[in-house]
Every structure is written in structure tokens, then in C-alpha cells.
């Protein structure tokens, strides 16, 4: 259910901002950037999708600034609203994870209310973050069709996949299979000391 709600937030955000952009005469790319940033993960999503849209630099900066400020306000205000509405920790976690823009803001707001709220908010937010790569692929395909017409359907699929999405997938797979060392650091008076470094798949042996 949480994943379904996350998908719904992303689809509604992008569609709503696209419609509002047309209604208010806003630049199409800027409206899409705001929709992606609001629906997925704030400035990170905007910066990732901007090259696909060939967005102007000043539009990117304005969109990143807007979602960051709004997310900051939500991070401060939502915990207060949770108390007024009598929301449970699970309910608030879902609310924060599905509405606040940036991942650090979600974590801060969630754990400000409680441990359970923080965990639920983090998972709900990550369900939205996971949609960044698929949304980027769809936008890349859509832009390719807009530029090339029907000829875009003849392009190989891998040309429509952003390079960062492939890199993200490779790194995720490498970590899953224990190819990266698990490093633990400890802060001491003399500085940061390395406590241990081992491969994750050896941790239980």
C-alpha cells in the first residue's frame, strides 16, 4: 500500500504541475521540474531530470530553491500538525514520507515525532526515491518522441536510459552482492579512527 501511495503521489504531482504550468503560462520544462521535484525527492530529482529536458540553468536553480524552502517549512510545521490532529506515529510517518520533498527533511521530521514515525517516514520516502530512474526513462522517451516524432520509436531502448540510472543500478547490485566493504568509523579526540572494514557477506561468518 505504501508503494502504491508513493506512485500515486509521483503521478499526481507531475500531472498537476504540468496542468498548472499550462494554465498559468509557465515554461513547460520548469513545470515538469517542479512536478518531479515535488513528487520524488526534491533537488536531486530536479538536477537528475534537467539534462533530459534540456532545461535552462536559471530554471533549475529556481526550482531547486523552491522545493528546498517548501520542504524545510514542511519539516518544521508537519510535526506540529501531527500533534494537533492526533495522528499516530504510523500515520504521521506516512504523511511525512509522502509529502515532504527532500529525504533528509523527511528523516528529521519523522524522528522528531518518534522512532516508529521516523522509520515509516524513511521507508515511505524511499519508495518515492525508487521511482526516479523509471520516471527519468519515461521522460527521456517522451522528449525523444517530441524531438524526433515517430522516428523516436526506432531508437534502441538503451539510448533512452539516462547514464545515472544505469550507474545507480550497478552500484546497488554491487552492494547487494557484498562487493563493497562495510566500513565502520569511530570519532576520537585525535580524529576519525577506522574501527573495521569487511565485506557485508562475511559479517555473519
Amino acid at each position: 500500500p505504501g508503494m502504491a501511495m508513493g506512485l500515486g503521489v509521483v503521478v499526481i504531482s507531475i500531472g498537476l504541475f504540468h496542468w498548472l504550468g499550462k494554465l498559468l503560462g509557465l515554461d513547460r520544462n520548469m513545470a515538469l521540474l517542479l512536478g518531479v521535484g515535488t513528487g520524488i525527492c526534491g533537488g536531486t530529482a530536479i538536477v537528475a531530470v534537467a539534462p533530459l529536458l534540456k532545461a535552462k540553468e536559471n530554471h533549475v536553480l529556481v526550482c531547486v530553491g523552491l522545493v528546498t524552502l517548501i520542504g524545510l517549512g514542511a519539516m518544521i510545521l508537519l510535526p506540529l500538525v501531527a500533534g494537533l490532529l492526533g495522528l499516530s506515529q504510523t500515520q504521521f510517518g506516512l504523511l511525512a514520507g509522502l509529502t515532504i520533498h527532500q529525504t533528509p527533511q523527511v528523516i528529521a521530521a519523522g524522528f522528531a515525532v518518534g522512532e516508529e514515525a521516523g522509520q515509516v517516514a524513511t521507508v515511505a520516502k524511499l519508495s518515492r526515491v525508487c521511482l526516479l530512474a523509471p520516471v527519468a526513462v519515461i521522460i527521456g522517451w517522451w522528449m525523444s518522441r517530441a524531438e524526433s516524432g515517430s522516428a523516436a520509436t526506432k531508437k534502441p531502448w538503451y539510448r533512452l536510459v539516462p547514464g545515472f540510472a544505469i550507474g545507480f543500478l550497478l552500484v546497488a547490485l554491487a552492494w547487494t552482492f557484498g562487493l563493497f566493504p562495510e566500513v565502520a568509523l569511530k570519532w576520537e579526540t585525535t580524529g576519525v579512527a577506522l574501527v573495521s572494514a569487511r565485506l557485508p557477506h562475511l559479517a555473519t561468518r
Side-chain angles (χ1 to χ4, degrees):
M3 192 67 190
M5 286 188 284
L7 178 61
V9 167
V10 172
V11 172
I12 291 172
S13 295
I14 295 175
L16 181 61
F17 274 95
H18 184 61
W19 175 75
L20 285 175
K22 286 185 176 181
L23 184 66
L24 301 175
L26 190 66
D27 179 82
R28 183 195 65 178
N29 289 345
M30 194 171 183
L32 286 174
L33 288 177
L34 287 171
V36 169
T38 300
I40 303 178
C41 55
T44 303
I46 291 173
V47 172
V49 170
L52 301 175
L53 296 174
K54 298 179 181 178
K56 298 178 181 179
E57 184 177 354
N58 62 325
H59 288 177
V60 175
L61 293 175
V62 169
C63 291
V64 170
L66 281 173
V67 298
T68 301
L69 287 175
I70 295 173
L72 181 63
M75 178 188 74
I76 297 171
L77 294 176
L78 278 185
L80 301 177
V81 172
L84 294 175
L85 297 180
L87 298 178
S88 69
Q89 291 207 22
T90 299
Q91 291 171 332
F92 176 77
L94 279 173
L95 176 64
L98 294 173
T99 58
I100 300 178
H101 296 70
Q102 313 264 35
T103 303
Q105 296 169 344
V106 170
I107 294 173
F111 283 100
V113 172
E115 182 72 20
E116 183 182 346
Q119 293 178 4
V120 173
T122 301
V123 174
K125 178 59 178 177
L126 291 179
S127 72
R128 294 162 60 196
V129 174
C130 288
L131 296 172
L132 175 56
V135 167
V137 171
I138 293 171
I139 290 177
W141 171 80
W142 178 61
M143 289 299 296
S144 180
R145 282 186 61 88
E147 293 174 359
S148 307
S150 60
T153 59
K154 299 179 181 179
K155 290 185 178 181
W157 66 270
Y158 57 82
R159 291 185 58 186
L160 303 178
V161 181
F164 82 88
I166 297 175
F168 180 84
L169 178 62
L170 292 176
V171 171
L173 288 174
W175 173 257
T176 300
F177 289 106
L179 300 180
F180 289 142
E182 187 176 276
V183 179
L185 301 175
K186 181 180 180 181
W187 182 261
E188 296 181 347
T189 55
T190 56
V192 179
L194 179 65
V195 177
S196 65
R198 57 184 178 180
L199 293 177
H201 67 279
L202 297 177
T204 57
R205 297 184 182 179

